Amino acid sequence: MNRNKSIIKTIENWLELPVDEIIIVDWASSIPVASSLSGIAIKDSRLNIIRVDGEEHWHLTQAFNLGFWFAKYEDIIKVDADVLIDRDFFTKNTIDDTSFVRGFWNKGETHINGFFYIKQSALNLVNGFNEYIKLYGYDDEDIYRRLKLKNMTEKEVFSGTINHIPHSDVERTNMVGDSRLSHIHEVLRQNTRFLILYNEYLTTLMPVWNRNSMNAQYSIAQYGRYVHCKKLKEMMLSSIARIEQDAFYYAALRYLAWGRGSYVYEMSLEEVNDELDIMSKNLSKT
């Protein structure tokens, strides 16, 4: 969503790879990705653009699951708009029915934790990404955990075969003005460390995402290699607002405890928000 500048930088690199198709999911970008790539798209028949209309906010897990659904081939690379892939990637990274290749945030490369190379059949085992996750963070660790519970072996991506183009956290989270943040204190809404914690607790409190979980449903209109989708419905539990509030509370306690000690675990939700108000005022003075 609104990552057209990144796509323009990476698409030529992707088109140099020995792949059969490239699927770009354009999640209601202000300027359609198809417009930004019109000349390139005409030149290469492997490029397919899935446009989702009518969405106000970025929803990573739904966007990638939609892309997986359209994929025609068994071997899939899940790649963000800001990642370059070396031409010899496939000679240095191999997968089979019981393994997948992934990036690690703590292995010398930054911001490649969400990159993976996997079989479509393995994604089907776990029903892709956990669509209960709406905000930034933990989507990658959640899917890796569920894959390993299905006895899938993770392998580290071969060093140097992928590279990340640096950009700001605002671009990364893509959540400026996101109304889904209303239950999260303002001082933490763009804090990536906190948002990862929040989604970790959310996935613990929610039902396990698996093959029985209901993915978002779409209407689909196809025009050659261009597809237009509109979301019809998504799975919503009646208790979701309470669960999201609980996830915020537990994540905020853990976040505050890192700097203030374990005494914060005695705080109520109201006291947590009071503490965050103080933090917010102190930040505004600096």
Side-chain angles (χ1 to χ4, degrees), residues 68-87:
F68 298 151
W69 188 84
F70 275 97
K72 302 183 191 75
Y73 298 91
E74 176 65 4
D75 292 359
I76 293 178
I77 290 179
K78 178 268 177 184
V79 59
D80 292 333
D82 49 20
V83 172
L84 301 170
I85 304 173
D86 197 79
R87 276 190 61 84

Side-chain angles (χ1 to χ4, degrees), residues 60-62 64-65 68 78 114 116 123 126-132 139-143 146 209 215:
L60 179 150
T61 58
Q62 290 184 354
F64 275 109
N65 280 351
F68 298 151
K78 178 268 177 184
F116 58 77
L123 287 172
V126 296
N127 197 19
F129 278 108
N130 185 337
E131 295 189 15
Y132 293 135
D139 46 272
D140 43 19
E141 289 300 331
D142 175 80
I143 195 170
R146 289 183 292 115
W209 185 264
N215 302 75

Side-chain angles (χ1 to χ4, degrees), residues 14-23 44-48 71-77 90 225:
W14 299 347
L15 290 169
E16 292 174 354
L17 300 171
V19 296
D20 296 298
E21 69 175 351
I22 296 171
I23 296 174
D44 201 304
S45 61
R46 296 173 299 165
L47 187 58
N48 300 281
K72 302 183 191 75
Y73 298 91
E74 176 65 4
D75 292 359
I76 293 178
I77 290 179
F90 295 101
R225 291 183 288 118

Side-chain angles (χ1 to χ4, degrees), residues 6 39 82 88 93 186 236-237 260-261 270:
S6 295
D82 49 20
D88 62 357
N93 297 278
E186 186 176 0
M236 293 293 290
L237 298 181
R260 290 163 171 74
E270 291 75 18

Side-chain angles (χ1 to χ4, degrees), residues 232-255:
L232 298 175
K233 63 179 180 178
E234 56 185 294
M235 178 63 176
M236 293 293 290
L237 298 181
S238 58
S239 59
I240 184 65
R242 174 59 188 272
I243 294 172
E244 289 175 337
Q245 187 68 72
D246 287 347
F248 162 71
Y249 173 55
Y250 297 132
L253 286 176
R254 188 168 162 193
Y255 180 84

